[in-house]
Amino acid sequence: MTTQVRALLATALATIILFAGQYLLPSPFKEAPGPVDEKAVPAAAKPSTSPSGAASSPLDGLHERKASPKEPEREAVVETEIVRAVLTSRGGTLKSWRLKPYPVADGQGVNLVAPREEDLPGPLLVSSGSPEDPAPLDFDIDKAQLNLHSSSEAGSITFSSRGSGPLQLSKRLTFTGNSYRVEVELSWKNAGKKPMTIAPELTWGPGFYSDVSDQHSQVLSSASWVDGRRVKDDIGSLQGVAAHSGQVSWTALQNLYFAAALLPGDKGSAVAVRKGPQEQPIIALVTPTQSLQPGGGLTQRFALYGGPKDVDHLKAAGSDLSKLLDLGWFDALARPALHLLRFLYRLSGNYGVAIILISLLQKIVLHPLTAKSLRSMQEMKALQPKIAAITERNKNNPQKKQQETMALYKKHGINPLGGCLPMLIQIPIFVALYNALSSSVEMWRAPFLWIHDLSQPDALFTVDVWGLKDYPFNLLALFMGASMFLQQKMSPSVGDPQQAKFMLYMMPIMFTFMFWKFPSGLVLYWLINNVLQVGQQRWLQKQSKPVVLGGPEAT
């Protein structure tokens, strides 16, 4: 395999990693929303407009409405085995949603509710979709505390609207002890004397937790599963409302490891995504328009999933929620890799050790391909003097040069792509393992040696360099670059020596730069893979017989 071909393969692999990283690393998705077919979008999902023509949202008008007299805010606390939720009578919404198995610096669980503006409702706000008959904002709560101590135990909290408005609402949330899924039931009643038309809407957002980093809230991406495919929206360029209709399974806000998803319980719901404060997305499920006669009622069912992007929990929640975990092109390989990683953790008790073991198993499985690739590269290297002679003899006749070169390959039984094909076969496995590791919530705050969190760069210490204050010194990334340099130096070099020397230095530098801010779990995987590759090449070179291709003649 020539140096040019090796460079092409390495560049292709680097491009794959960079492209996948845009979707897997903790940053907002940058995929522009597709065109919306206005005829295909039900009226309930289309943005209603104010007289000024601006798109409205469930939060519109709350600043004016909150000025009216209201009862003091009351709270209810729900404690399950895995969730601690604080709900408020203000809008019947959430003040916090903490995941107890995932503690942060203060010892409390990760909070999926971001700080809210004063007096504005939080997630699970319900809108009627009607400016004339708005949904109630003040509720009674049937209990102040709900404790579920066993895995199978279930319990509910019910919010009942206060006041004598014509549109009344009851909201019941049903929790289970060991599940991140919550059933949501809305019961509407027209207590007025005239018919009313509503298009109820359940929302979540904006933002996520505030106590994991120095930021007040983390900018998230939105994703939905509609008609069996993933739909994403670019919040930065979003104007008004992005509406998606069809067979909706869920819509969610997410970062790399956690998600809050709304699931429709009835058919006909559509997705609406809006831009909230500080460029934060707000997601909503919008139900079809309904007519309520005086004294008439309507019951609607939804579900909420607020938890980790964990394979088992997502699958248990149903509604295609397992598709929330986006493992990229090689999903069929990445999901088994996730299960293998968790199995190795149960054996070893540490995810760093599990990464080492999964790298070792990968090398064992792919050993025959690696041995074949190395042998082919050695044969090509031994053939280089004869190829150089052919090139010199036919430097003015490219066609004859090609014919003689192919005849030389045929004479010695060498496939010029023999060193490339095994590498190409391994690329899907590399990328699948990369995707599995970079998406695994198990890496979150998992320690290994000096590394405190395998989901973050190892940052052994910080330095002030080139005008950058407290720049992280990521020792693991430097080790990875050094191991790649050693691996490149040990590989048989064919082709132009100047190009080979350029590749020897370019590839380690490029990968070190690329991996500098990657999660340390990923860098550890790549480092161990390089170290094992060096050892494997050294052993194969000792075991292999010298390549003899005959005399010095060209053909």
Side-chain angles (χ1 to χ4, degrees):
M1 180 171 59
T2 65
T3 303
Q4 294 94 325
V5 175
R6 289 171 58 203
L8 180 62
L9 286 175
T11 303
L13 182 58
T15 302
I16 289 172
I17 294 173
L18 284 173
F19 183 77
Q22 295 176 6
Y23 291 87
L24 295 175
L25 294 180
S27 61
F29 292 98
K30 296 298 181 183
E31 181 170 329
V36 178
D37 183 356
E38 290 291 334
K39 295 181 180 179
V41 179
K46 295 180 182 179
S48 58
T49 56
S50 64
S52 62
S56 65
S57 85
L59 298 181
D60 288 349
L62 288 182
H63 288 287
E64 291 76 13
R65 293 168 61 193
K66 71 182 182 184
S68 59
K70 61 179 182 296
E71 296 293 325
E73 184 179 26
R74 298 164 301 282
E75 293 184 355
V77 178
V78 179
E79 291 269 6
T80 74
E81 289 187 336
I82 53 180
V83 169
R84 185 182 192 274
V86 178
L87 302 103
T88 171
S89 60
R90 176 61 173 161
T93 57
L94 286 167
K95 295 189 73 172
S96 71
W97 182 275
R98 292 189 176 273
L99 311 180
K100 296 164 73 171
Y102 300 92
V104 290
D106 61 0
Q108 300 186 73
V110 163
N111 190 0
L112 298 191
V113 177
R116 58 178 183 165
E117 295 183 28
E118 184 180 358
D119 242 5
L120 282 182
L124 295 185
L125 175 66
V126 175
S127 168
S128 68
S130 171
E132 293 80 15
D133 299 296
L137 285 179
D138 194 35
F139 291 83
D140 280 326
I141 312 176
D142 68 338
K143 57 177 69 73
Q145 186 82 29
L146 175 63
N147 295 314
L148 304 176
H149 300 291
S150 66
S151 301
S152 58
E153 189 177 0
S156 299
I157 282 188
T158 302
F159 295 85
S160 302
S161 59
R162 297 173 59 90
S164 56
L167 184 60
Q168 298 180 2
L169 172 63
S170 174
K171 179 193 298 185
R172 184 171 68 180
L173 307 179
T174 302
F175 298 79
T176 306
N178 64 343
S179 176
Y180 293 104
R181 175 175 171 137
V182 178
E183 306 300 325
V184 181
E185 182 181 277
L186 305 180
S187 297
W188 301 87
K189 183 178 180 180
N190 181 359
K193 297 181 179 180
K194 62 179 182 178
M196 60 179 62
T197 300
I198 61 173
E201 182 171 342
L202 180 67
T203 67
W204 185 289
F208 257 17
Y209 47 83
S210 61
D211 45 6
V212 173
S213 67
D214 293 332
Q215 299 175 350
H216 289 295
S217 61
Q218 187 179 85
V219 178
L220 307 176
S221 61
S222 66
S224 306
W225 194 259
V226 184
D227 291 331
R229 64 184 183 89
R230 190 180 308 276
V231 179
K232 303 170 187 174
D233 297 287
D234 179 10
I235 300 301
S237 61
L238 182 62
Q239 301 293 328
V241 180
H244 308 290
S245 63
Q247 185 177 346
V248 177
S249 296
W250 48 263
T251 182
L253 295 184
Q254 61 176 335
N255 64 9
L256 186 59
Y257 299 118
F258 304 100
L262 301 177
L263 295 66
D266 303 315
K267 294 181 179 180
S269 295
V271 173
V273 181
R274 300 176 176 88
K275 184 190 298 186
Q278 302 177 1
E279 300 288 307
Q280 295 277 21
I282 298 174
I283 58 171
L285 288 177
V286 188
T287 60
T289 301
Q290 303 282 345
S291 179
L292 293 181
Q293 297 301 316
L298 170 68
T299 298
Q300 298 175 307
R301 291 175 178 82
F302 304 86
L304 157 71
Y305 177 88
K309 292 164 69 173
D310 173 89
V311 176
D312 294 338
H313 282 293
L314 292 173
K315 186 175 181 180
S319 300
D320 291 325
L321 203 58
S322 60
K323 302 296 183 181
L324 185 60
L325 187 61
D326 186 3
L327 295 177
W329 304 323
F330 305 108
D331 184 280
L333 294 174
R335 288 185 187 271
L338 267 180
H339 290 290
L340 176 59
L341 178 69
R342 296 170 66 173
F343 172 75
L344 294 175
Y345 168 74
R346 288 194 292 271
L347 291 180
S348 64
N350 183 276
Y351 274 107
V353 176
I355 290 173
I356 295 174
L357 292 176
I358 205 171
S359 301
L360 180 60
L361 288 175
Q362 170 198 307
K363 280 297 175 189
I364 293 173
V365 171
L366 298 178
H367 175 77
L369 291 176
T370 304
K372 184 177 180 180
S373 176
L374 181 63
R375 182 66 179 178
S376 180
M377 291 167 65
Q378 290 173 333
E379 292 172 348
M380 286 293 296
K381 183 177 181 180
L383 208 60
Q384 286 306 299
K386 298 185 178 184
I387 294 177
I390 293 175
T391 300
E392 179 65 25
R393 189 167 60 246
N394 299 287
K395 56 185 175 182
N396 297 322
N397 192 340
Q399 185 175 0
K400 188 174 181 182
K401 170 191 168 184
Q402 181 70 15
Q403 291 174 347
E404 290 188 16
T405 302
M406 296 309 296
L408 182 65
Y409 289 149
K410 184 176 181 180
K411 175 182 177 181
H412 294 286
I414 295 176
N415 180 359
L417 297 179
C420 304
L421 292 177
M423 284 186 65
L424 288 174
I425 295 173
Q426 293 179 53
I427 283 178
I429 299 174
F430 277 119
V431 175
L433 285 170
Y434 168 89
N435 290 347
L437 287 172
S438 61
S439 301
S440 176
V441 70
E442 286 80 6
M443 297 296 100
W444 191 82
R445 294 195 173 254
F448 177 68
L449 298 179
W450 71 88
I451 304 168
H452 301 293
D453 185 352
L454 287 170
S455 70
Q456 299 292 328
D458 58 309
L460 188 61
F461 54 85
T462 60
V463 295
D464 295 340
V465 58
W466 296 326
L468 298 175
K469 185 175 177 59
D470 295 332
Y471 191 76
F473 180 83
N474 300 330
L475 182 62
L476 204 63
L478 294 178
F479 282 163
M480 190 277 299
S483 68
M484 179 163 282
F485 176 83
L486 183 59
Q487 177 190 343
Q488 290 281 109
K489 196 163 184 69
M490 288 187 60
S491 298
S493 176
V494 296
D496 185 359
Q498 292 299 322
Q499 290 183 351
K501 186 176 181 180
F502 176 73
M503 289 292 298
L504 175 64
Y505 292 96
M506 184 195 75
M507 291 303 297
I509 292 174
M510 183 179 71
F511 269 71
T512 300
F513 175 79
M514 196 169 56
F515 276 67
W516 191 260
K517 292 187 177 181
F518 275 18
S520 54
L522 280 176
V523 184
L524 176 64
Y525 161 70
W526 213 264
L527 168 63
I528 297 302
N529 183 75
N530 287 345
V531 171
L532 293 175
Q533 179 74 12
V534 168
Q536 188 180 34
Q537 285 185 200
R538 181 72 174 169
W539 183 80
L540 287 172
Q541 287 170 351
K542 286 185 176 181
Q543 295 296 316
S544 63
K545 298 178 181 179
V547 177
V548 180
L549 297 174
E553 71 278 8
T555 57

